[in-house]
Amino acid sequence: MSIARALEEDIIFGRLAPGTRLTEDTLLARFAVTRHFARQALVQLEAMGIVVRERNRGATVRSLTPKQVQEIYAVRELLQRQAALWIPLPAPQSLIDELNAIHAEHGQHIEAGFLRGVHEANDRFHLTLFGACGNDHLVQSIELYMRLSLPVRANSMANTDALRIAHDHHRLMIEMLRGQDNWVLAQLCVDHLQPSKARYLNRLV
């Protein structure tokens, strides 16, 4: 496993809390690599939006203020609502079959406690769903804001009940793809974002 991937897992799954400093010396001791590779790992994590690097201060795990959380999620809601409104309904059976397969995988990972699999299947489910809107630029923006919200989303990863609720939401989204009401689908996609946002904000109080 690469340094960046190992640190990404530690951050996403809560083993490295927001605000934790990541020094090159610590990485050298942990991974037994050269300083070049340690520095490159931090650059990769910064590009992913989960680490912040500052001159003369090193790198820290990205944390968000309440205002930043509200602003990021306001944009996520706008993007995901619009994408859901543009999905042609009823959706083709091929899309429903693909989402059902991802949904089954997501559920298996939840029950097995395999958080990396949960995280990857969750993101794949949403990008596949919103990809059906037919606007690649909109989907790219959704993916960007998914990355920006990782500190918030990570807060729910160790909560099995929260993961199961999200899993149930995914099932409902698939069912709505069989119908013709984009507005109901869009509202569920917005509602789906709220629990992790609320949980993160409550921790900041």
Side-chain angles (χ1 to χ4, degrees), residues 15 27 45 97 119 122 154 163 189 198:
R15 295 189 287 267
L27 299 186
L45 293 171
D97 290 344
H119 171 67
N122 176 76
L163 294 178
C189 291

Side-chain angles (χ1 to χ4, degrees), residues 22 24 39-47 51-60:
L22 299 173
E24 291 180 12
R39 188 172 296 125
Q40 284 301 111
L42 295 176
V43 170
Q44 285 182 254
L45 293 171
E46 182 183 32
V51 159
V52 177
R53 294 194 306 150
E54 298 180 70
R55 184 181 295 275
N56 300 323
R57 294 190 62 184
T60 57

Side-chain angles (χ1 to χ4, degrees), residues 45-109:
L45 293 171
E46 182 183 32
M48 293 169 61
I50 58 178
V51 159
V52 177
R53 294 194 306 150
E54 298 180 70
R55 184 181 295 275
N56 300 323
R57 294 190 62 184
T60 57
V61 177
R62 190 164 180 261
S63 59
L64 298 171
T65 66
K67 182 174 185 292
Q68 289 172 322
V69 172
Q70 296 287 8
E71 290 177 349
I72 288 170
Y73 271 76
V75 176
R76 289 194 75 194
E77 291 169 16
L78 288 170
L79 294 172
Q80 296 191 185
R81 184 188 298 278
Q82 190 59 59
L85 289 173
W86 282 348
I87 296 173
L89 296 181
Q93 188 61 43
S94 58
L95 174 62
I96 291 173
D97 290 344
E98 184 176 5
L99 289 171
N100 271 324
I102 299 171
H103 184 247
E105 180 186 339
H106 183 253
Q108 290 165 3
H109 292 323

